[in-house]
């Protein structure tokens, strides 16, 4: 419980090391040498063919299996040539700046280039420019003559970015505010009241879970609540009884957000030219709510609230207030998503990219923190039932548009996605299913 960011973050001047995003001290180069490997992994190929032949082969196999690395001596490349080459490169780097300038390039496609390493730390750069291309779509205009134009707008946004915002969407402002305030109240409850809900057990099978989290081994600056909303009756008993109106408010919110999600999925059907209701039943059966609380952070540039990812669901609907924090990855950089009170940010998620046969993009996004105010976001994931088979819609596959993804069971995808969240090699689950 004392691990919750909200429990300790308000009195500190600097960020603890294990929150410094994706570059913790233990993997930071410089000053942290471990002891050297023993010489016995040096292999002398000159002995191959002689009476030590079998032993050498055995040592190569063992070193390759254990370390993937060994050294060779007496290998046939002359010491003079090696020294010469080493000296030449030392001389190159020691040349005058003007002499080297001709070779310097940041263009990755150049066949020869002198360059410097960049700092790849995904800093939570709060000052990122705002993305101007995310349309804000007024759903009240759908009833009139603008319908076709609106669907075109949604489709264009989904093809390019996988993200758009909707206003006048039918979920009442009162209900949105009430739900937001309820979660703020939850996160602000005294530690003793929250303690009974706290769990580090990630296997709660969709029941209510209150936790703080890490991604790829580095802690993220947030505490979260997560549970299934639909099917409702199997899960509502696990929802908290404090704040007092939790079950009543969250139930009403889930019902309204579900209606909106089905409306948007039908607009996407229209845009894709597949039958209305295609995403009904199994493909949108599971509904989960994930609520994040990002306390103010004294050094927002060193941490992230949520690291870069695409959502594993079908569609995601995100409510934020007027506090900035969500970013989208576009054109090689992170750009801010403008917070619009009472709008929903709609993300195309992985399963829609597959079912649309790659026509729609699963949005890559993340959340940054800030030094001044806490931010709360309410994230609804609409997903297929775990047993659903996911594959590109038949109507979107043809001789000229071949199938781009294998078919799979949603449960398998989800399990791999969860494992990949902790994979330091930045594995993306969707790539593994591309044909
Ligand atoms: O809090 C946010 O704005 C983003 C949260 C998010 O991307 C997620 O929970 O998947
Ligand atoms: Fe997300």
């Amino acid at each position: 419980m004392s691990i919750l960011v909200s429990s300790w973050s308000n009195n500190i001047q600097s960020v603890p090391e294990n929150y410094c995003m994706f570059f913790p001290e233990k993997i930071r180069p410089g000053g942290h040498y471990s002891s050297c490997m023993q010489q016995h992994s040096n292999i002398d190929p000159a002995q191959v063919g002689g009476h030590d032949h079998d032993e050498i082969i055995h040592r190569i196999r063992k070193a390759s299996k254990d370390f993937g690395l060994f050294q060779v001596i007496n290998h046939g490349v002359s010491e003079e040539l090696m020294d010469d080459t080493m000296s030449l490169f030392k001389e190159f780097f020691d040349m005058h700046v003007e002499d080297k300038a001709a070779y310097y390039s940041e263009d990755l496609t150049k066949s020869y280039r002198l360059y410097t390493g960049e700092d790849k730390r995904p800093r939570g750069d709060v000052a990122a420019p705002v993305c101007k291309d995310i349309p804000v779509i007024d759903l009240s205009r759908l009833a009139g003559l603008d319908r076709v134009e609106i669907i075109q707008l949604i489709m264009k946004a989904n093809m390019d970015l996988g993200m758009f915002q909707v206003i006048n969407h039918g979920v009442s402002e009162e209900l949105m505010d009430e739900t937001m305030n309820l979660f703020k109240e939850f996160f602000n409850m005294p530690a003793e009241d929250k303690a009974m809900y706290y769990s580090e057990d990630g296997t709660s099978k969709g029941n209510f879970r209150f936790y703080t989290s890490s991604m790829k081994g580095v802690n993220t600056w947030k505490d979260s609540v997560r549970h299934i909303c639909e099917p409702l009756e199997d899960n509502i008993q696990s929802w908290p009884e404090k704040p007092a109106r939790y079950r009543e408010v969250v139930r009403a919110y889930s019902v309204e957000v579900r209606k909106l999600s089905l409306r948007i999925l039908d607009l996407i059907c229209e845009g894709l030219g597949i039958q209305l209701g295609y995403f009904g039943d199994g493909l949108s059966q599971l509904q989960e709510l994930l609520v994040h609380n990002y306390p103010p952070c004294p050094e927002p540039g060193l941490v992230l609230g949520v690291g870069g990812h695409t959502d594993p669901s079908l569609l995601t609907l995100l409510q934020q207030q007027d506090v900035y924090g969500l970013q989208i990855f576009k054109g090689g950089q992170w750009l801010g998503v403008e917070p619009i009170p009472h709008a929903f940010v709609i993300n195309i998620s992985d399963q829609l990219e597959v079912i649309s046969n790659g026509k729609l993009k699963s949005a890559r996004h993340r959340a940054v923190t800030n030094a001044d105010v806490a931010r709360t976001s309410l994230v609804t994931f609409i997903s297929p039932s775990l047993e659903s088979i996911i594959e590109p819609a038949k109507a979107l596959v043809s001789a000229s548009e071949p199938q781009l993804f294998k078919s799979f069971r949603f449960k398998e995808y989800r399990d791999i996605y969860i494992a990949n969240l902790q994979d330091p090699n930045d594995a993306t689950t969707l790539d593994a299913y591309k044909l």
Side-chain angles (χ1 to χ4, degrees):
M1 207 21 220
S2 56
I3 196 175
L4 288 175
V5 182
S6 50
S7 311
W8 49 262
S9 62
N10 50 353
N11 284 323
I12 58 167
Q13 302 300 315
S14 62
V15 168
E17 199 58 54
N18 53 341
Y19 280 78
C20 290
M21 200 56 197
F22 299 162
F23 214 37
E25 192 172 32
K26 62 178 184 287
I27 59 164
R28 233 173 262 171
H32 292 271
Y33 297 106
S34 18
S35 52
C36 286
M37 291 282 305
Q38 300 272 307
Q39 285 278 321
H40 68 231
S41 56
N42 288 352
I43 289 169
D44 183 351
Q47 295 174 10
V48 174
H51 63 279
D52 292 332
H53 181 93
D54 289 350
E55 198 212 322
I56 298 279
I57 301 290
H58 169 75
R59 283 176 56 199
I60 290 179
R61 284 176 62 172
K62 184 159 171 18
S64 307
K65 184 159 167 274
D66 294 350
F67 310 116
L69 178 85
F70 55 87
Q71 300 205 52
V72 288
I73 52 174
N74 298 323
H75 36 60
V77 183
S78 81
E79 292 188 1
E80 290 70 31
L81 182 56
M82 290 178 83
D83 289 345
D84 227 11
T85 313
M86 180 63 87
S87 305
L88 177 116
F89 278 104
K90 288 192 167 168
E91 200 182 323
F92 181 87
F93 287 113
D94 286 343
M95 284 192 319
H96 285 296
V97 175
E98 311 84 78
D99 291 339
K100 284 189 288 195
Y103 304 110
Y104 181 78
S105 167
E106 287 173 14
D107 179 357
L108 295 169
T109 61
K110 278 241 160 90
S111 58
Y112 186 93
R113 76 184 180 111
L114 168 66
Y115 62 101
T116 188
E118 54 184 312
D119 183 355
K120 289 216 167 59
R121 249 180 298 181
R123 287 172 171 277
D125 185 0
V126 183
V130 165
C131 181
K132 301 257 191 291
D133 303 326
I134 298 171
V136 179
I137 296 176
D138 179 349
L139 290 187
S140 68
R141 288 173 55 212
L142 271 174
L145 293 172
D146 301 336
R147 187 178 179 85
V148 173
E149 187 200 324
I150 287 178
I151 292 177
Q152 276 169 359
L153 217 61
I154 291 178
M155 293 312 282
K156 181 169 176 348
N158 290 349
M159 286 170 189
D160 295 347
L161 300 157
M163 189 182 278
F164 58 99
Q165 303 209 46
V166 290
I167 53 171
N168 297 324
H169 39 61
V171 183
S172 79
E173 295 192 356
E174 292 69 32
L175 182 59
M176 293 180 85
D177 289 344
E178 205 175 5
T179 316
M180 179 63 84
N181 291 337
L182 178 111
F183 278 102
K184 289 194 174 214
E185 201 183 320
F186 179 91
F187 288 113
N188 286 331
M189 284 195 309
E192 314 80 75
D193 287 346
K194 281 189 292 191
M196 61 190 287
Y197 300 117
Y198 179 73
S199 153
E200 284 174 10
D201 175 11
T203 61
S204 61
K205 300 266 181 296
N207 286 342
F208 184 88
R209 183 166 170 239
F210 171 40
Y211 61 104
T212 190
S213 54
S214 67
M215 228 173 152
K216 303 185 192 303
V218 180
N219 293 349
T220 44
W221 197 268
K222 70 173 172 69
D223 302 324
S224 305
V225 156
R226 177 170 203 140
H227 62 74
I228 289 186
C229 298
E230 181 71 36
L232 181 81
E233 297 313 328
D234 307 344
N235 291 282
I236 195 162
Q237 295 312 324
S238 75
W239 298 8
E241 284 170 322
K242 277 187 184 173
R245 298 188 61 223
Y246 190 103
R247 294 183 183 183
E248 182 192 340
V249 172
V250 175
R251 177 187 217 148
Y253 182 80
S254 306
V255 168
E256 292 307 308
V257 175
R258 181 161 193 82
K259 283 190 209 153
L260 172 61
S261 70
L262 296 178
R263 262 177 93 201
I264 292 174
L265 285 169
D266 264 348
L267 292 174
I268 291 175
C269 285
E270 252 181 278
L272 285 172
I274 58 180
Q275 86 211 50
L276 288 188
Y278 189 92
F279 299 107
D281 302 332
L283 290 179
S284 58
Q285 195 185 82
L286 189 62
Q287 179 172 340
E288 285 166 285
L289 181 65
L290 174 57
V291 181
H292 302 296
N293 174 51
Y294 307 94
C297 175
E299 296 174 289
L302 283 182
V303 304
L304 284 178
V306 179
H309 67 284
T310 58
D311 294 334
S313 46
L314 180 75
L315 191 75
T316 303
L317 300 91
L318 181 139
Q319 178 188 342
Q320 49 182 350
Q321 288 185 305
D322 51 357
V323 185
Y324 167 74
L326 179 62
Q327 295 185 334
I328 183 166
F329 193 67
K330 186 186 173 245
Q333 59 172 333
W334 288 103
L335 299 172
V337 178
E338 188 190 359
I340 303 175
H342 301 119
F344 278 96
V345 177
I346 311 292
N347 276 354
I348 296 298
S349 308
D350 292 354
Q351 308 314 310
L352 250 179
E353 180 161 338
V354 174
I355 294 169
S356 69
N357 201 24
K359 288 197 167 52
L360 308 181
K361 273 255 150 335
S362 186
R364 188 163 173 77
H365 57 284
R366 68 178 189 178
V368 297
T369 62
N370 73 80
D372 306 316
V373 271
R375 173 171 179 265
T376 303
S377 62
L378 276 54
V379 190
T380 299
F381 296 116
I382 303 291
S383 300
S385 64
L386 295 181
E387 294 310 317
S388 291
I389 300 291
I390 309 299
E391 59 191 1
K394 298 271 179 293
L396 301 176
V397 177
S398 64
S400 59
E401 291 176 309
Q403 182 168 340
L404 294 181
F405 296 91
K406 299 181 220 175
S407 69
F408 53 84
R409 203 174 291 278
F410 180 58
K411 180 177 185 327
E412 171 199 312
Y413 190 93
R414 211 170 123 112
D415 290 347
I416 296 175
Y417 180 94
I418 292 167
N420 282 345
L421 282 182
Q422 298 306 336
D423 182 342
N425 298 322
D426 220 6
T428 66
T429 312
L430 202 53
D431 285 346
Y433 289 92
K434 285 190 175 141
L435 284 171

